[in-house]
Amino acid sequence: MDKGYLVIIGGAEDKNGESEILKEISNMIYEDEILTIVTTATEYPEETGEKYKDVFSRLGVKNLQVVDINNRDIANDEDICRKIEESNGIFFTGGDQLRITSILGGTRASNEIRRVYEKGGVIIGTSAGASVMSSTMVVKGNDNEPPKKCTTKMAPGIGLLDKTIIDQHFEQRGRFGRLLCSVAENPQVIGIGIDENTAIKVHPDLFFEVLGSNAVTIIDGATIKSSNVSELEQNEVLAIVGVTVHTLPKGYGYDINNKEVKRLKG
């Protein structure tokens, strides 16, 4: 089976204007297909679910449903899992990424979401819903600080985008240092920092294009020549030599498998 698409949004996407990112998602859901909004991450599921239903309806999505999976019993419920199975797109809202992984991890609902992706569907996540896409996710860390050892807490994500760490609200919250430290501790992965109102659309071959008004930062740890991350005491400032960094706005793309930046034709 061919994998589908991932749309990973850095948060605070435009919902009221031209809504470029959400419009792109709407165009990926055909007229007879179902987009399911999963509100697990948020503490305000009704308000958040209705907000996204209104936006996607305005943008032309005909078949919308909201599922509030707020405990593991619901995540194994037959009716809920049937709704996910019937879906062609899954949209994870923002909130707390640990709610998504701790409530959904190892459940029938989680398996069905993966099957939607593996059958060619589209999985979308914004903010916390973006962080969970990677195999290793940032749970918390210090914003607007230089990179320091042991200040970033990480946990397994749902792993739809392997060999990556994704961070969101990236430039706006000053998260370069914490993503850099995350990559220094896990140099086999690619760090992807996504700004607000910005997204990556990941194709089945793991090439992604940048959408939205700001930028995506790529931190490639494979080229690191040396770092002192294993020598540091907690909270000491990191030294790192030879890391590769790219900053990519709309009009650029990146091949994750081959680690190549590509400029797209306008």
Side-chain angles (χ1 to χ4, degrees):
M1 286 184 276
D2 292 331
K3 288 182 179 178
Y5 287 80
L6 302 174
V7 181
I8 307 175
I9 309 167
E13 69 281 355
D14 175 20
K15 302 175 186 66
N16 302 310
E18 293 189 6
S19 308
E20 176 192 339
I21 295 168
L22 299 182
K23 186 182 293 183
E24 177 71 20
I25 294 164
S26 301
N27 291 338
M28 298 171 73
I29 305 296
Y30 297 121
E31 187 168 352
D32 59 342
E33 294 182 335
I34 299 171
L35 176 62
T36 296
I37 299 161
V38 178
T39 57
T40 304
T42 180
E43 296 180 358
Y44 308 98
E46 284 191 29
E47 177 185 331
T48 302
E50 284 303 310
K51 176 176 65 179
Y52 278 107
K53 273 188 76 174
D54 289 346
V55 173
F56 282 118
S57 179
R58 173 176 68 83
L59 294 173
V61 180
K62 303 293 186 185
N63 300 307
L64 289 159
Q65 59 184 358
V66 178
V67 295
D68 178 26
I69 306 173
N70 58 29
N71 63 59
R72 292 180 63 80
D73 285 339
I74 295 175
N76 286 301
D77 179 80
E78 187 172 340
D79 290 338
I80 290 292
C81 292
R82 186 180 301 112
K83 287 183 176 181
I84 294 171
E85 181 186 10
E86 294 169 351
S87 304
N88 306 95
I90 304 290
F91 184 96
F92 286 104
T93 71
D96 181 348
Q97 52 263 45
L98 262 184
R99 282 182 56 83
I100 298 175
T101 54
S102 63
I103 291 172
L104 294 182
T107 65
R108 289 181 61 191
S110 178
N111 293 336
E112 291 298 341
I113 289 167
R114 182 171 289 276
R115 286 193 190 99
V116 170
Y117 178 52
E118 291 175 346
K119 289 188 297 184
V122 56
I123 311 296
I124 309 109
T126 184
S127 192
S131 289
V132 298
M133 296 288 187
S134 51
S135 47
T136 302
M137 71 176 185
V138 178
V139 176
K140 60 188 288 187
N142 296 337
D143 296 344
N144 291 304
E145 283 196 6
K148 297 178 181 179
K149 186 179 182 181
C150 298
T151 55
T152 301
K153 181 180 178 182
M154 289 180 285
I158 61 177
L160 296 180
L161 190 59
D162 201 15
K163 299 178 182 177
T164 63
I165 297 175
I166 294 166
D167 210 348
Q168 22 79 9
H169 300 280
F170 191 67
E171 177 62 30
Q172 290 73 20
R173 298 189 185 176
R175 289 178 167 174
F176 183 85
R178 80 179 199 176
L179 186 59
L180 186 64
C181 192
S182 300
V183 172
E185 294 176 0
N186 300 272
Q188 75 279 12
V189 305
I190 295 169
I192 303 174
I194 307 174
D195 291 352
E196 294 179 355
N197 196 36
T198 306
I200 60 173
K201 178 181 176 181
V202 186
H203 296 244
D205 62 358
L206 298 187
F207 171 81
F208 71 71
E209 56 189 293
V210 178
L211 308 174
S213 61
N214 290 303
V216 172
T217 300
I218 309 294
I219 302 178
D220 181 3
T223 61
I224 293 174
K225 294 182 178 179
S226 64
S227 81
N228 65 350
V229 69
S230 63
E231 306 163 14
L232 295 177
E233 298 294 330
Q234 185 168 341
N235 290 322
E236 287 189 316
V237 175
L238 178 72
I240 184 168
V241 178
V243 67
T244 299
V245 177
H246 309 290
T247 301
L248 308 177
K250 182 180 177 180
Y252 284 80
Y254 186 77
D255 184 331
I256 294 174
N257 284 326
N258 296 311
K259 299 183 177 181
E260 291 180 353
V261 174
K262 295 186 179 180
R263 187 161 189 176
L264 307 178
K265 295 180 180 179

